[in-house]
Amino acid sequence: MKKMNNQLVIQQFSDYTKRYQEIILHFPENINEQTFDFSKDTDKNKTMRYMRAYFDLSFEEWHLNQRKLIDAKTWTVWEGGIKTALSKTAFINAWLEIKKDTGYGQEFEQFINASLPTNQNLTNHSSGTPNGAP
């Protein structure tokens, strides 16, 4: 039973890694540069489509963790990746744009907003309080 459980964990991790790789392969080469500017992106719509896919994937990972369906070590890896992405200008700006028309729920939005660099922490749009605090 333990071997089967380990195989399921490996398969799940592999599936999410494959989806992540598929997303990032469609980003512009300079997406990780702090000077990245969407207004200079020749295919902003495509980039934003994959940014939405990235945040959807991040939501799924977060949700799996909230439901205790992944182990703590896997979440630590995924959370670290999300926080690293959110330290980059393109991901911050994409989040600001995406959250205008997409709702992931207050808890996930609080997680993302709290993961932004300190000077980028946002006011929760629904409650008007910093980082969605009650």
Side-chain angles (χ1 to χ4, degrees):
M1 192 68 153
K2 186 177 179 179
K3 267 189 169 185
M4 192 164 86
N5 188 44
N6 287 342
Q7 281 301 109
L8 288 173
V9 169
I10 291 167
Q11 182 63 45
Q12 179 185 45
F13 192 84
S14 176
D15 289 346
Y16 276 79
T17 300
K18 183 177 179 178
R19 289 175 59 199
Y20 171 76
Q21 288 175 336
E22 179 67 25
I23 292 166
I24 64 168
L25 286 173
H26 287 89
F27 285 149
E29 182 62 32
N30 63 340
I31 196 83
N32 292 316
E33 295 175 10
Q34 291 300 352
T35 57
F36 183 84
D37 184 351
F38 276 106
S39 68
K40 295 177 183 173
D41 183 6
T42 57
D43 201 352
K44 180 183 178 185
N45 289 338
K46 177 182 173 190
T47 302
M48 284 303 296
R49 197 168 38 255
Y50 280 99
M51 279 291 184
R52 288 179 188 282
Y54 174 79
F55 283 105
D56 288 350
L57 179 66
S58 297
F59 172 77
E60 289 177 36
E61 293 170 344
W62 174 86
H63 185 72
L64 287 172
N65 180 60
Q66 294 298 300
R67 294 190 59 213
K68 307 286 188 226
L69 295 174
I70 57 170
D71 62 82
K73 289 181 182 181
T74 298
W75 173 242
T76 299
V77 170
W78 288 351
E79 180 183 31
I82 293 167
K83 288 181 176 185
T84 297
L86 289 170
S87 72
K88 298 171 183 174
T89 302
F91 289 84
I92 294 167
N93 290 335
W95 172 248
L96 294 174
E97 188 68 27
I98 290 167
K99 71 180 273 169
K100 290 177 185 176
D101 64 14
T102 305
Y104 289 101
Q106 186 175 359
E107 290 180 24
F108 178 72
E109 290 176 13
Q110 288 173 359
F111 164 72
I112 293 294
N113 292 339
S115 298
L116 294 169
T118 307
N119 62 344
Q120 293 292 325
N121 279 341
L122 305 173
T123 298
N124 181 289
H125 60 80
S126 59
S127 68
T129 57
N131 297 324

